[in-house]
Amino acid sequence: MTTGAVLVAGAVALGVPALAVGMWATEGERDFQDVVGLFLVTAVPALVGAGAALLLGRRLVPRMRTSAASPTVAVRDALRAGRTTDPAVDAAARREARRRLGQRWHLWLYLGLAALQTLPLVGGPRWSTRLAAGVLLALWSGTAWLRWRGLREARRYLTPAEHPRTTTGPGPGVTRAW
């Protein structure tokens, strides 16, 4: 993971619960300044805990990373590239691609959940309702985009043009003398 991804994940993991506690404690009826104050009070312990985890966890990170030679990483890379030369990875990538295509209904579920958030976003009675709906809309839309990208990779991997089938006959450009 890149440093930017870690920072975004940390901000979401710490900020969303703190903001939710601030909105819950004020019940959406107070000023924006009250919610910000509660957010900061709630976020301080989480920030201290995250800082301690980062300082103490540096020794654990190399042990938690998957090796570059792991089968999961090889399958993911093969699906992203659209091809592989290793037959074992190819078989596993084909299984994963078929699994992804079998779960294409997930894309419609995520799009439907994102669409359900548009009504509270537009017509929500309180700013906290609109904020929560906006965050959920962004999260469901992002999840749908990731699912769509996975389906596109799976289709590309399984297309015959990308993987010509081997034949027992001569190769291209070779003529047979009958």
Side-chain angles (χ1 to χ4, degrees):
M1 269 181 124
T2 64
T3 304
V6 170
L7 289 176
V8 169
V12 169
L14 298 175
V16 170
L19 187 60
V21 167
M23 289 188 324
W24 173 73
T26 61
E27 296 177 356
E29 298 294 327
R30 306 212 180 160
D31 314 8
F32 186 71
Q33 290 83 12
D34 293 339
V35 174
V36 170
L38 281 171
F39 169 74
L40 292 175
V41 168
T42 307
V44 167
L47 289 173
V48 170
L54 286 174
L55 289 175
L56 298 175
R58 289 186 188 270
R59 286 181 247 149
L60 297 176
V61 170
R63 289 185 226 153
M64 292 189 301
R65 283 193 188 127
T66 58
S67 68
S70 85
T72 307
V73 173
V75 167
R76 185 192 68 215
D77 292 343
L79 285 170
R80 285 188 180 162
R83 61 184 168 73
T84 185
T85 57
D86 186 7
V89 173
D90 182 53
R94 287 182 179 278
R95 275 193 310 273
E96 174 64 18
R98 286 187 198 101
R99 185 190 67 79
R100 286 183 184 182
L101 289 175
Q103 294 177 348
R104 74 181 133 240
W105 62 272
H106 287 185
L107 173 65
W108 296 107
L109 173 71
Y110 299 142
L111 288 173
L113 289 170
L116 286 174
Q117 296 306 315
T118 56
L119 186 61
L121 179 67
V122 173
R126 297 184 274 185
W127 67 268
S128 59
T129 304
R130 290 190 300 273
L131 177 67
V135 168
L136 286 171
L137 177 66
L139 291 174
W140 287 124
S141 299
T143 305
W145 180 80
L146 288 173
R147 179 60 63 166
W148 174 77
R149 188 181 73 176
L151 288 171
R152 190 183 66 197
E153 289 173 354
R155 282 189 197 107
R156 185 181 67 204
Y157 194 84
L158 292 175
T159 56
E162 293 289 325
H163 291 287
R165 299 189 183 219
T166 57
T167 59
T168 56
V174 177
T175 58
R176 288 187 179 172
W178 295 96

